[in-house]
Amino acid sequence: MRQLRAERDALADKIVAGRPEGAERQHQLGKHTARERLDRLLDSGSFTEIEMFRRHQAHGMKADGTRPHTDGVIAGSGTIDGRRVCIYAQDFTIFGGSLGEAHAAKIHKTMDLALATGCPLIGLNDGGGARIQEGATALDGYGGIFRRNVQASGVIPQISVILGPCAGGAAYSPALSDFTFMVRDTAFMYLTGPDVVAAVTGERVSHDELGGADVHARQSGVATFVYDDELSCLDDVRYLVSMLPSNNLDPLPAAPSQGAMTDERPRLAEIVPHDPSKPYDMRSVITEIVDDGDFLELHELWARNIVCALARVDGEVVGVVGNQPAYLAGALDAAASQKAARFVRLCDAFSIPLVTLVDVPGFLPGTDQEYGGIIRHGAKLLYAYCEATVPRIQVIVRKAYGGAYIVMDSRSIGADISMAWPTNEIAVMGADAAVGIIFRKELAAAADPAGLRADFRTRYAEEFMHPYFAAERGLVDEIIDPAQTRSAIAAGLAMLRGKRKFPSQRKHGNVPL
Ligand code: HXC
């Protein structure tokens, strides 16, 4: 028995050591090996591997020549800050991390384990996509991954980390995940590579220009987070996991109270200019409101006119949605609506309370937006909020005009608590636009149009825009001193802690996807 064990251990050591030339190539490219990545990401010594000895049984053109153990993916489970996760890491040094039947079966098993045990699933992707020499079985393997991604959606958090190529259909698993991390220069994702693009369209484009990290972080919105190097990327995966529940039934990971209920932040009034047209950075407001000024922003570089972030208030995890007056004056457009809608649904699926910070001039006007389906995309955000059953707190920081006011979690669509700063302006539209419509004829005929405008603006402000107009009608619950925003949110969260979801009879709604 002792000899059998020694043989097993020797083989396992050989598998773990891998091919030195493969590791060297990874390092030359600024990448790490699959096992180094697991070591960095998981708590030390916590990884339990499954199916280490698995090898492919294929008889394709090349695959039957060598049959390396693991078949190019290291799978199993470990812990992050003591909490269990299931994980797989593609090993580029074996068949370029490509996915064959055995490789896929190991990923399937990892996903099944994650779902059965109710813990987050993390996939570290670094591979050439479907293993060409295994034909249709490789495609079948991908289908099994996608089906499991969808079955697990909203049940366990799914995190895809792209650390190398993620080509072809492989890109759909990250797209079905809740979060996609990418690393600059080494990670890329596309459905068809530069050669195919050149052959079909004549367009010449590099891997990076076609599907690099910045393309997906800034333009396509596929990447949720982007980093300059692998190690900071993996560190942030740990940070993200620290704020997520293990599954949709488990409680959120709690942190100690920070005495937020009595924490006044006078700087808030200085950050936000009184003039509604003056820009400022909503992230500075968030910094003042959340614990330690610390938050994890999703899609930081895409649809920058809205900010979506995970953070804690008084130890409790919250999802923060805020208009961003520093970009497009904080107007809602198609991309911002999609970004926020997906975030609201993520928070709702995992019982993360929502805090919505409103400073919005309206939806972005123009043919670009109308042709691009702003109505359809704006409806997604409306739908997401209307459906959300988590605690919902709205804070109107400055202005809230028109349909965008309604969409940004107004009381009318189900916010539990709405608060407004005394500077709030809630109206169908701003005073200048309003006078142009209501008094168009009078302005055209007036001897002193500027005087008429000024007079109207005063009346409009006195009658409709005074801070208590909405509060008198129950549209906001409380007018708060800006300095009290953090404490008022903490008190609101405490009040709403027992909020429960009542089961619905319908199969599902028809969200305007
Ligand atoms: C089998 C593959 C492979 C693949 C790479 N390799 N991709 N083997 N199937 N899909 C192998 C290479 O033959 C090579 O083996 C080793 O991995 C390293 O690859 P290199 O090309 O030397 O590395 P590099 O120059 O870094 O380029 C990496 C790459 C390139 C960009 C990923 O290999 C590539 O373009 N591969 C094909 C990508 C692709 O088109 N995949 C299919 C997508 S279709 P040796 O033995 O020489 O070391 C798809 C459909 C899924 O995925 C559908 C699901 C719905």
Side-chain angles (χ1 to χ4, degrees):
M1 186 54 83
R2 198 171 290 162
Q3 193 194 336
L4 287 177
R5 182 165 171 189
E7 281 171 14
R8 181 259 166 221
D9 288 351
L11 179 56
D13 286 348
K14 200 171 149 215
I15 295 167
V16 169
R19 286 173 41 233
E21 63 277 19
E24 205 179 305
R25 184 175 185 254
Q26 289 286 96
H27 295 156
Q28 277 166 1
L29 292 172
K31 292 161 65 171
H32 291 79
T33 66
R35 289 189 191 278
E36 287 166 347
R37 289 164 177 162
L38 291 170
D39 280 348
R40 175 75 179 206
L41 181 56
L42 300 173
D43 296 340
S44 177
S46 71
F47 183 56
T48 306
E49 189 165 346
I50 57 166
E51 299 193 0
M52 175 197 264
F53 301 110
R54 189 146 186 167
R55 342 164 71 163
H56 74 77
Q57 309 295 322
H59 298 284
M61 288 158 63
K62 232 176 140 184
D64 51 355
T66 66
R67 294 176 57 227
H69 291 100
T70 74
D71 202 45
V73 64
I74 298 157
S77 99
T79 59
I80 290 180
D81 295 329
R83 296 169 63 225
R84 187 145 299 279
V85 297
C86 285
I87 186 161
Y88 64 88
Q90 289 184 319
D91 181 353
F92 192 84
T93 67
I94 294 179
F95 297 138
S98 60
L99 181 137
E101 190 179 8
H103 182 122
K106 289 178 69 174
I107 294 179
H108 295 169
K109 184 163 183 178
T110 311
M111 297 176 85
D112 292 343
L113 271 174
L115 201 52
T117 56
C119 70
L121 173 77
I122 303 174
L124 306 185
N125 294 264
D126 185 4
R131 191 173 300 159
I132 297 161
Q133 58 266 37
E134 292 202 30
T137 49
L139 301 180
D140 183 61
Y142 268 121
I145 293 175
F146 304 153
R147 182 164 53 87
R148 286 172 174 81
N149 281 136
V150 173
Q151 284 167 343
S153 182
V155 184
I156 51 171
Q158 298 184 77
I159 300 168
S160 289
V161 189
I162 319 300
L163 300 167
C166 184
Y172 278 117
S173 184
L176 293 168
S177 303
D178 299 302
F179 308 93
T180 299
F181 289 71
M182 284 187 86
V183 176
R184 290 192 175 92
D185 299 329
T186 48
F188 50 88
M189 267 195 286
Y190 41 65
L191 292 185
T192 47
D195 294 345
V196 179
V197 171
V200 175
T201 69
E203 188 187 1
R204 300 256 159 225
V205 66
S206 70
H207 290 284
D208 210 44
E209 286 165 340
L210 188 60
D214 275 301
V215 165
H216 288 307
R218 291 171 191 276
Q219 279 161 270
S220 71
V222 169
T224 328
F225 305 105
V226 63
Y227 300 87
D228 287 334
D229 63 276
E230 283 193 10
L231 300 185
S232 38
C233 172
L234 295 172
D235 289 348
D236 254 13
V237 175
R238 286 181 67 92
Y239 180 33
L240 172 66
V241 169
S242 77
M243 286 196 281
L244 298 174
S246 294
N247 58 64
N248 66 325
L249 299 178
D250 273 12
L252 292 164
S257 161
Q258 299 219 341
M261 296 245 207
T262 52
D263 190 351
E264 298 231 344
R265 297 298 174 109
R267 228 177 75 74
L268 279 168
E270 293 161 23
I271 293 170
V272 180
H274 207 281
D275 178 347
S277 62
K278 281 233 166 84
Y280 63 93
D281 189 347
M282 183 59 91
R283 289 176 304 183
S284 311
V285 173
I286 298 173
T287 302
E288 288 294 314
I289 291 172
V290 302
D291 293 355
D292 304 319
D294 230 13
F295 59 90
L296 183 62
E297 186 175 351
L298 288 79
H299 295 293
E300 188 184 343
L301 302 174
W302 177 58
R304 300 175 84 170
N305 41 331
I306 202 153
V307 180
C308 298
L310 291 169
R312 289 178 185 273
V313 174
D314 218 17
E316 188 170 346
V317 177
V318 293
V320 182
V321 181
N323 305 115
Q324 173 56 290
Y327 289 90
L328 295 176
L332 284 178
D333 63 357
S337 303
Q338 291 178 75
K339 168 173 157 178
R342 185 148 160 80
F343 182 67
V344 167
R345 285 178 71 81
L346 169 89
C347 292
D348 193 44
F350 293 111
S351 302
I352 300 171
L354 283 161
V355 175
T356 303
L357 305 173
V358 187
D359 191 344
V360 66
F363 281 98
L364 191 66
T367 48
D368 256 14
Q369 289 297 314
E370 296 293 348
Y371 295 174
I374 179 70
I375 297 175
R376 198 160 44 83
H377 297 303
K380 291 176 186 171
L381 182 53
L382 194 51
Y383 200 108
Y385 268 123
C386 286
E387 229 185 13
T389 58
V390 287
R392 288 160 52 181
I393 298 176
Q394 181 199 42
V395 182
I396 297 161
V397 167
R398 199 168 54 169
K399 62 191 176 304
Y401 295 157
Y405 154 66
I406 303 171
V407 171
M408 291 299 294
D409 207 13
S410 61
R411 283 291 301 268
S412 59
I413 64 165
D416 297 296
I417 299 172
S418 173
M419 298 179 270
W421 290 9
T423 44
N424 78 79
E425 286 186 358
I426 308 172
V428 175
M429 61 183 72
D432 280 329
V435 69
I437 293 171
I438 302 176
F439 290 117
R440 183 175 298 145
K441 287 192 201 111
E442 288 85 344
L443 280 169
D448 174 20
L452 180 60
R453 262 182 197 281
D455 178 45
F456 174 83
R457 239 189 263 116
T458 311
R459 277 174 50 207
Y460 191 78
E462 279 170 4
E463 283 177 37
F464 296 110
M465 277 185 161
H466 67 79
Y468 291 92
F469 183 91
E472 284 170 9
R473 288 154 182 82
L475 307 180
V476 301
D477 296 282
E478 183 60 286
I479 306 289
I480 55 166
D481 180 336
Q484 295 171 317
T485 308
R486 174 166 156 80
S487 55
I489 291 171
L493 290 169
M495 185 179 107
L496 296 169
R497 207 155 282 152
K499 190 177 174 192
R500 284 186 298 141
K501 178 189 175 174
F502 292 97
S504 147
Q505 289 297 313
R506 72 176 168 186
K507 187 174 175 192
H508 60 69
N510 189 10
V511 59
L513 290 169

